[in-house]
Amino acid sequence: QVQLVESGGGLVQAGGSLRLSCAASGSIFRFNSMGWYRQAPGKQRELVARITYGGSTNYADSPKGRFTISRDNAKNTVYLQMNSLKPEDTAVYYCNRWPNPESWGQGTLVTVSS
C-alpha cells in the first residue's frame, strides 16, 4: 500500500523558515526520484523540487536558492528546507514520486504572512 505522510507546515512570517518532512512507504521511495509539489489556492499543483535516489537535485525557478531538498534513504524520508519564505509560497505541499506520482497524501499547509 502506498503511503505518504507530510508534516512540518505552519504559519510563518515572510522571511522565515520551515522544514517539511515526508515519510514514504518503501514501495514508492526505494530507488525512485522523489519530488516536493505544491498547490496554491485556485492553481494547479506544481513541482517545486526533486531529488534522485543518489541525491542529485533539481529546482523550479521560483524557489531556487531558497529551498533545499534532501532525503534519508535509510528512513524512507524526504525533506524540504524552506528559507526566505515569501507570501507566494503559501500552498499545500505534497511529496510524491517523480515522475509518475502515486496516490497523493494529505499534504501539509504552509502559510506565509506578509
Side-chain angles (χ1 to χ4, degrees):
Q1 182 180 358
V2 172
Q3 188 172 16
L4 295 160
V5 180
E6 300 92 348
S7 62
L11 174 63
V12 63
Q13 288 188 331
S17 297
L18 285 173
R19 189 190 193 212
L20 307 183
S21 298
C22 170
S25 58
S27 62
I28 191 174
F29 189 91
R30 199 167 296 120
F31 305 128
N32 288 319
S33 294
M34 295 292 292
W36 278 99
Y37 304 74
R38 68 185 179 187
Q39 187 167 21
K43 295 188 177 181
Q44 288 190 332
R45 189 174 286 148
E46 62 176 352
L47 179 68
V48 173
R50 55 185 169 94
I51 184 168
T52 66
Y53 192 76
S56 297
T57 60
N58 188 276
Y59 298 90
D61 287 341
S62 174
K64 194 174 293 183
R66 300 186 295 120
F67 292 5
T68 302
I69 188 172
S70 60
R71 65 192 291 164
D72 185 333
N73 291 337
K75 296 181 179 179
N76 287 0
T77 301
V78 61
Y79 305 97
L80 187 68
Q81 177 67 42
M82 305 187 296
N83 298 329
S84 301
L85 282 161
K86 303 176 180 181
E88 52 263 44
D89 295 319
T90 295
V92 179
Y93 284 72
Y94 304 86
C95 71
N96 212 318
R97 183 175 62 186
W98 181 91
N100 303 319
E102 294 274 2
S103 299
W104 298 94
Q106 84 288 349
T108 186
L109 176 62
V110 172
T111 304
V112 184
S113 63
S114 57

